[in-house]
Amino acid sequence: MEIVENGSSKSLQKFALSDYNKSLYQNLGIEFKLNKKFETLKGSINMEFEISKNDKKEVKVPVNISIHDKISE
C-alpha cells in the first residue's frame, strides 16, 4: 500500500477541540490518502519532522487500524 500524495505537509493540521477529564485539548495530525481500499492496516509509517535545516527528527509511528474499530468518545 502506498500514500497517494507524497505526504509532504508544510505543518501539522489542527483538529477539533475536545474535552477529556475536564481538560481541553486539541490533536495535531497529517492526513494521508492511500492508493487502495483496506479492511486492516498493520505496520508503521516513517516520518521526518524538520524545525529548521539543522534540526530534523525521524520517527516511526506504529499503525494497527481496522474499518471495524469503534471510535470512543
Side-chain angles (χ1 to χ4, degrees):
M1 188 161 267
E2 296 178 4
I3 297 172
V4 175
E5 298 173 356
N6 66 5
S8 294
S9 177
K10 298 286 182 200
S11 61
L12 292 171
Q13 299 170 7
K14 294 179 182 177
F15 294 103
L17 290 172
S18 299
D19 177 52
Y20 177 74
N21 200 19
K22 297 185 180 182
S23 295
L24 195 61
Y25 72 94
Q26 185 172 40
N27 286 325
L28 301 175
I30 299 171
E31 291 183 7
F32 292 98
K33 292 183 182 180
L34 301 174
N35 66 341
K36 297 178 185 174
K37 293 183 178 182
F38 68 90
E39 185 172 327
T40 302
L41 286 177
K42 191 171 185 174
S44 63
I45 298 172
N46 292 329
M47 291 192 286
E48 183 179 81
F49 293 93
E50 181 177 342
I51 296 172
S52 64
K53 298 266 185 217
N54 298 324
D55 195 8
K56 295 180 183 178
K57 169 106 181 180
E58 187 173 318
V59 291
K60 186 174 189 175
V61 180
V63 176
N64 188 1
I65 60 173
S66 166
I67 61 172
H68 304 294
D69 289 347
K70 302 277 189 243
I71 298 174
S72 59
E73 298 284 331

